[in-house]
Amino acid sequence: MSIPPRPLSSRLADPNAAAHERVYRSLRQQVLHGELAPGQAMTLRGIAEQFGVSMTPARDSVRRLVAEGAFTMSSSGRISTPELTPERIEELAVIRAMLEPEMASRALPRAHFALIDRLAAINALNQEAVMNQDAVAYVRTNLEFHRTLYLRAQTPAMLALCETVWLQLGPTMRALYQKLRRRDMPQHHRMILAALRAGDEPGLRLAVRIDVTQGLRHLAS
């Protein structure tokens, strides 16, 4: 028996759907990792040309990212990455301080030696980014460190909320790193690793809370 062909409307929709997903994921990663500066303006036409797509996937991707807080769009249609006020930075820091120590605590019983070794390897890359003063690599490896740990918590709803906060903070985290111009090795990840190795739940909560809030407070102050 022959299989009937897919409806024409479905076949026509696929290219735009695939293009939309590609543009969305690429732009989301750029914002998340601080590849775009705070307040960086862009246009739908520019996005479409950058990714070699029509206006429809570009528009749909931007609308999705605006809904997630990764972009802002003015009443005139101007698109830009967020420029966060000190009050907004403080609010997001508080959310991180509530969510992330809890996820770390829930991950602790599943923090086997292989996971800790993996976190140590990511932290080595984070330290390398510090030495090279590579802001984008610093933000990327910092988030990878935290996400790798939190995945072991098996709390997908909490992680999704956390990633939304990270997305809003991406450009600001880059600006923070460039403001501090640090070359010293971050200590808080080492504290997190030590607490994981020792099975120290209160110490782990404290290390995570300090790590995720201290830098942001420099910007909010």
Side-chain angles (χ1 to χ4, degrees), residues 53 55 80 144-146 180:
V53 299
M55 293 291 283
S80 64
E144 185 182 358
F145 180 91
H146 286 273
L180 296 179

Side-chain angles (χ1 to χ4, degrees), residues 43-111:
T43 64
L44 288 176
R45 186 174 301 281
I47 292 170
E49 290 175 355
Q50 177 186 349
F51 292 97
V53 299
S54 67
M55 293 291 283
T56 298
R59 185 181 299 108
D60 291 346
S61 299
V62 166
R63 285 175 177 167
R64 192 171 169 186
L65 290 163
V66 168
E68 290 184 306
F71 289 155
T72 61
M73 182 181 289
S74 68
S75 56
S76 63
R78 180 181 181 273
I79 305 159
S80 64
T81 55
E83 287 188 284
L84 303 180
T85 63
E87 293 77 18
R88 182 63 171 167
I89 293 170
E90 178 68 22
E91 179 187 6
L92 294 174
V94 169
I95 294 172
R96 290 194 69 178
M98 289 189 295
L99 282 176
E100 297 191 41
E102 179 64 23
M103 284 190 290
S105 174
R106 294 186 183 212
L108 182 58
R110 304 181 184 90

Side-chain angles (χ1 to χ4, degrees), residues 128-167:
E128 183 178 318
V130 171
M131 293 302 296
N132 294 334
Q133 293 192 319
D134 186 336
V136 173
Y138 176 81
V139 174
R140 184 183 67 250
T141 53
N142 182 59
L143 292 182
E144 185 182 358
F145 180 91
H146 286 273
R147 192 174 190 277
T148 299
L149 174 59
Y150 303 155
L151 281 170
R152 300 302 300 169
Q154 298 182 5
T155 52
M158 293 176 70
L159 183 57
L161 288 171
C162 192
E163 288 185 338
T164 299
V165 174
W166 292 346
L167 190 60

